[in-house]
Amino acid sequence: MIKRKSFDTIIPLTLGLILATILLIPQFQIKAGVNLSDTPFHFNRFFDIAEQFRNHNFSYFQMNYGFGQTGRVVNALYGPFFSYILGFLLFITGSWFKFQVLTTYIVFLVGSYGMYQLNLKLKTSRVTATIITLLFLTTGYVSSWTSSNSFSTWGGILIPFVLIEAIDLVNNDEGKFNWVGLGTIVAVVAQVHLLTTVLCVLTLIPFFVYGLYQSNHKKMLWLTLLKAIALFMVLTANIWGTFALLYSTNHVSATFAYPLTSTAITVGLVSVWNTILDSIIVLFFVQLCYVVTNFKESKLNNLFTIEGLIFLFLSSQLFPWSIIENRFPILKSTFQFPNRLTTVAYPLLFAAIGITISELSKKYDRNIVNLARLALVGIILSNLSANYLFTDHRVKENSIGEVTLQKYIDDHISMPSEYLPIQKDMPSDEIHNNEANIINPNVNKNFNKEVLKSGRLKLNWYSKKKEVILLPIFMYHQSELQFNNKKLDPNVNPIGMPFVMSEVGKNTAILSFKTPGWLTILLTISLISWFGVITLKIMSKFSKSFNMENLTLSKRKKV
């Protein structure tokens, strides 16, 4: 039993290592970091955390090192705890190249392990689980990490773990399921990528409704769900507490608006975040045909397939996104990319295909099953080849060379329009194009910036005359500004940058962020809860291993 469990760990990890290595070959050849579409934004986030570790000077809210040292709030609203994990990894690796290589391996190892375990949960064979896992790794956001650095990838690799818990919602015993596992994994997703959390909830609803419909213990099922929700709320207290604080007291700008019609998936020559190979579409069509003609075979196959196809349809240009975005323009900035729905659609549909192959193996000759597997291998090779060529082109086109961490940040100051303390309603493109929002390096160099203890940001500059100047920092309702040793409540421009009356000679401004006591309590509760959950999980693992060893020894003694 122990050997089998080890084998089921080794297989997916090996698959992840192989796939990651193949897609990393272009980067290994240049031995340098690459600047991809989402790299500047996320590297500024992680650089800020890495510098916090390096300087032993921590600030949960105020960004004092990344984003042009402007004191804006980003990480506290975007995957807060996970930002600290990746920031620490950047700190210990010390280079963009090593960091990108390490994160790529983590993406593929986690994604491979989760998808493989999902297939085993669905009782597919190891061979089928291997093939389905390879399909998952070479399609969509997972494979596009090396060519985009899109953070939806990290949410996407966690979806299989969510689906593992979703299965128990359907196959619940007396209205009970692993509420600790469900609450924890959704909380993990929230600490990584908030929008993926919303997709997880939407994915889980049909599973719960179906489980509730067929359950004879509906009350118990509801109570168990409430316990999962309560655990989730405790583990994510830092997130919803931060949103409650900032959005109730500030007019926070939305994320940048994108036309939904242009970000829905379409057929292309590669299966990445916004395109899909026609062979994958054919595969999904065959899966639909099988489910329609064999709908009595498996309730899980029906559920996985139908829900997966709905998400796939919604993610595509077949859905009338032009009508939707005209009627609900807010979706262009809150939802942004319909293709994000594939992070749910692909694992659902691939898992369903695994179920179908398992059913075929029970009803037909082995040659039929092997032929189906061979066809899937062909699609995998086609996927991998296209993705490799695409990644090779992107990597060689966007090499940043052997630059230091600081040099890259200085050359790629990320100034996104989101999360700014705007003073009035402004469309995201207007914020983005506002000259004051783009911290001009020629202007910014006139200010000497220094990070003080307790996460405060100090600005020094010299003025030849008494004049009103705009400081290259952002102020929220919770921000405090000390100017020339006096506390100041300054006027700010439309995007939250303060004006001060500069004195002749040297001037000093110190920016700080005051965290209310109740939020500090929530942050502490969240941290303690995570420590408790992780400790209990480790103890449970050791307990199971200990009991297994004792059982094995007792059997040997009897023999």
Side-chain angles (χ1 to χ4, degrees), residues 138 269-270 379-391:
T138 56
L269 299 176
V270 61
I379 294 175
I380 292 169
L381 293 176
S382 177
N383 265 356
L384 182 58
S385 176
N387 290 338
Y388 177 84
L389 292 174
F390 184 69
T391 299

Side-chain angles (χ1 to χ4, degrees), residues 367-383:
N367 292 330
I368 298 294
V369 177
N370 288 336
L371 185 63
R373 289 171 175 167
L374 187 61
L376 294 181
V377 170
I379 294 175
I380 292 169
L381 293 176
S382 177
N383 265 356

Side-chain angles (χ1 to χ4, degrees), residues 36 86 97 195 228 271 286 317 325 344 459 482 533:
L36 304 170
L86 290 187
F97 170 64
L195 182 59
S271 284
V286 172
Q317 292 188 355
E325 68 182 5
V344 173
L459 285 75
Q482 190 179 54
V533 167

